[in-house]
Amino acid sequence: MRAAPVIVVGAGVAGLATALRLAPLPVTLVSTAALGEGTATAWAQGGIAAALGADDDPALHAADTLAAGAGLSDPEVARRVAEAGPGAVAWLAERGTAFDRDAAGALALGLEAAHGRRRIVKAGGDATGARVLATLARAAAATPRLTVVVGHATDLLCDAHGAVAGLADRVGGETVTLAARAVVLATGGLGALYRATTNPPGAVGAGLALAARAGAVLRDVEFVQFHPTAIAVRAEGPLPLATEALRGEGAVLVDAAGGRVMAGIAGADLAPRDVVARAIFARTGRGERVFLDARRLDVARRFPTVAAFCQSAGLDPAAAPIPVCPAAHYHMGGIRVDGRGRASLPGLWACGEAAATGLHGANRLASNSLLEALAFADLIARDIRGADAIAGPPRAAGRTPAVPTGPETLAGIRRIMEAAVGLVRDEAGLARAAARLGALAHEAGAPEAESALLVAAAALRRRESRGAHWRADHPGQEAPRHADITLAQARQIAAALAPALQEVP
């Protein structure tokens, strides 16, 4: 009998890199859209962090990663990923990614917040994600034994022994069963569960819901990073991003009178993202407006993506500062995995933003996301190729099937998350959010509500302020600890809170 393929769910940098690294094994790549469309990778303006400068080395990169992670980054993972940086850049260059270079032909290295050295490798100025995605999509299209299926994964399927052995996939209105030697979830993050986000609309925690419904353990899901400088062109929906590299090259945050927003704060405009985002939020929460003054930079030439966003919104960054606001950007938590990318369920791996590898801790260091995906894609592929065990035939899940979520339900989830599970949180708001999201998950069967519930329940249980998780009622810190959670536990928390919610007039 022909061996089942490895199924990779998601076609951003994590999914494509994993699929390519798995060659020559047969791979089925499940994508919600044609290759190169609908992924957060294509929206990534920053770059790839890699210790390539003469004054840099992976140990320094790892140290910056640990400092940004606010006590929750794994030192061994940080070391391994930082050491993989130069090789990951070389691997992409060999496949055709044209990285930006200086006049001497060397890689041009940029600076971003909380990095102690210039180590950000870019392509097309602020179009790195799109350039990398195009490279990987071309390589995938030319790879034998790599099959692309456009559909929506609705459930993980296990064999008689509980190992993940396949996937239920909705293709053209029909649900089909795909058997697998192994399943890799590379589905991205959950920023689109918030009203204001820099993520594409499909970033709703699909991989978290798939894994959680099958019983997988999730880790540190309360840590959602808010990018401080989304371009404030509207109140909600995907917002264009003013890349952090602008501040790395000298742009500054100012108020309406031109005063420096970050004056007196350690790190100033290059402080860690959570610090900058809260400083801006404190101003906007009082009804003030905050701007990014990039007039001294040649934005049109050096940051063409930002320039195009501004032009489409009627803004001219050469003439006036850019209005900005914080927006949900990146999920540091996710499916708990080990150093090989293995989840708690046998037969299941996770890569990229869907995974909690231990790299990012409580606050991701800028431009470490593409690097993490590339590094773990290689580790996962090596592990799967060397694994002897092959899962048996997949069986029906025995769970209520996930159903497509209507626009009104999704809008309600986003309102709840924005209001109570955002940049600043407290007990009362999180309790209401968890109870309401639990009811939506039960009544509507919405996987987006399940993902949102996991974040709210985990945030409710972490009674401290650390990195991107800020509790107004618990501003201090406890001893550093990871927090694991399952969907069953999150449902229990919501059920316990439901009676109190009903008593609220």
Side-chain angles (χ1 to χ4, degrees), residues 300-329:
R301 180 180 65 82
R302 300 175 65 187
F303 302 95
T305 303
V306 173
F309 284 147
C310 288
Q311 184 178 24
S312 66
L315 303 171
D316 182 1
I322 306 165
V324 295
C325 66
H329 182 64

Side-chain angles (χ1 to χ4, degrees), residues 51 56-68 73-83 119 359 365 368:
D56 202 4
D57 65 58
L60 293 174
H61 183 181
D64 288 344
T65 298
L66 295 175
S73 293
D74 184 316
E76 177 61 17
V77 173
R79 180 190 66 79
R80 292 174 69 192
V81 172
E83 289 178 349
R119 64 168 68 101
L359 178 68
L365 182 66
N368 265 357

Side-chain angles (χ1 to χ4, degrees), residues 232-448:
V233 293
R234 50 185 171 270
E236 61 182 277
L239 299 178
L241 180 66
T243 174
E244 192 163 277
L246 286 160
R247 284 178 284 131
E249 298 303 320
V252 295
L253 292 161
V254 298
D255 57 25
R260 295 284 293 271
V261 170
M262 299 301 294
I265 298 175
D269 292 274
L270 292 180
R273 283 181 176 173
D274 64 302
V275 175
V276 180
R278 283 194 297 274
I280 296 174
F281 182 78
R283 299 289 191 110
T284 58
R286 299 196 296 263
E288 300 178 25
R289 299 185 73 193
V290 174
F291 304 84
L292 184 65
D293 190 348
R295 286 176 292 182
R296 65 180 294 271
L297 306 179
D298 187 351
V299 174
R301 180 180 65 82
R302 300 175 65 187
F303 302 95
T305 303
V306 173
F309 284 147
C310 288
Q311 184 178 24
S312 66
L315 303 171
D316 182 1
I322 306 165
V324 295
C325 66
H329 182 64
Y330 190 88
H331 191 210
M332 276 81 66
I335 302 161
R336 190 188 73 190
V337 299
D338 64 13
R340 298 169 294 180
R342 292 189 179 194
S344 61
L345 299 177
L348 182 65
W349 284 255
C351 187
E353 195 173 350
T357 66
L359 178 68
H360 305 305
N363 188 36
R364 176 177 68 89
L365 182 66
S367 289
N368 265 357
S369 54
L370 295 181
L371 171 62
E372 178 197 39
L374 293 164
F376 267 85
D378 187 28
L379 293 169
I380 289 168
R382 290 173 186 267
D383 193 42
I384 291 174
R385 283 201 305 267
D388 294 328
I390 298 178
R395 303 189 304 170
R399 295 181 288 271
T400 303
V403 297
T405 304
E408 290 186 4
T409 298
L410 190 52
I413 293 168
R414 287 170 172 153
R415 284 194 297 270
I416 294 169
M417 294 295 283
E418 190 80 18
V421 199
L423 198 56
V424 178
R425 305 160 174 180
D426 61 35
E427 186 93 9
L430 290 170
R432 287 194 300 272
R436 288 169 177 162
L437 291 166
L440 280 174
H442 177 72
E443 296 164 6
E448 295 89 346

Side-chain angles (χ1 to χ4, degrees), residues 55-303:
D55 63 343
D56 202 4
D57 65 58
L60 293 174
H61 183 181
D64 288 344
T65 298
L66 295 175
L72 289 188
S73 293
D74 184 316
E76 177 61 17
V77 173
R79 180 190 66 79
R80 292 174 69 192
V81 172
E83 289 178 349
V89 171
W91 185 76
L92 288 170
E94 290 166 2
R95 278 148 189 80
T97 303
F99 290 111
D100 296 345
R101 297 184 179 272
D102 61 22
L107 288 170
L109 302 178
L111 178 67
E112 291 183 344
H115 284 275
R117 297 289 188 275
R118 299 185 75 90
R119 64 168 68 101
I120 312 305
V121 181
K122 298 176 176 296
D126 54 0
T128 307
R131 297 287 179 89
V132 169
L133 187 66
T135 296
L136 297 180
R138 284 194 302 270
T143 299
R145 308 183 80 192
L146 196 164
T147 303
V148 178
V149 174
V150 177
H152 291 262
T154 59
D155 223 332
L156 292 175
L157 305 178
C158 296
D159 66 8
H161 303 288
V164 173
L167 192 73
D169 193 36
R170 192 169 64 250
V171 181
E174 179 184 357
T175 298
V176 299
T177 296
L178 304 176
R181 166 179 171 168
V183 174
V184 183
L185 294 178
T187 49
L190 47 67
L193 292 178
Y194 291 83
R195 292 180 65 194
T197 179
T198 63
N199 291 180
V204 290
L208 266 66
L210 282 170
R213 285 168 60 84
V217 177
L218 309 184
R219 171 163 283 186
D220 295 342
V221 290
E222 60 269 37
F223 293 106
V224 180
Q225 186 173 75
F226 291 78
H227 200 292
T229 54
I231 302 175
V233 293
R234 50 185 171 270
E236 61 182 277
L239 299 178
L241 180 66
T243 174
E244 192 163 277
L246 286 160
R247 284 178 284 131
E249 298 303 320
V252 295
L253 292 161
V254 298
D255 57 25
R260 295 284 293 271
V261 170
M262 299 301 294
I265 298 175
D269 292 274
L270 292 180
R273 283 181 176 173
D274 64 302
V275 175
V276 180
R278 283 194 297 274
I280 296 174
F281 182 78
R283 299 289 191 110
T284 58
R286 299 196 296 263
E288 300 178 25
R289 299 185 73 193
V290 174
F291 304 84
L292 184 65
D293 190 348
R295 286 176 292 182
R296 65 180 294 271
L297 306 179
D298 187 351
V299 174
R301 180 180 65 82
R302 300 175 65 187
F303 302 95

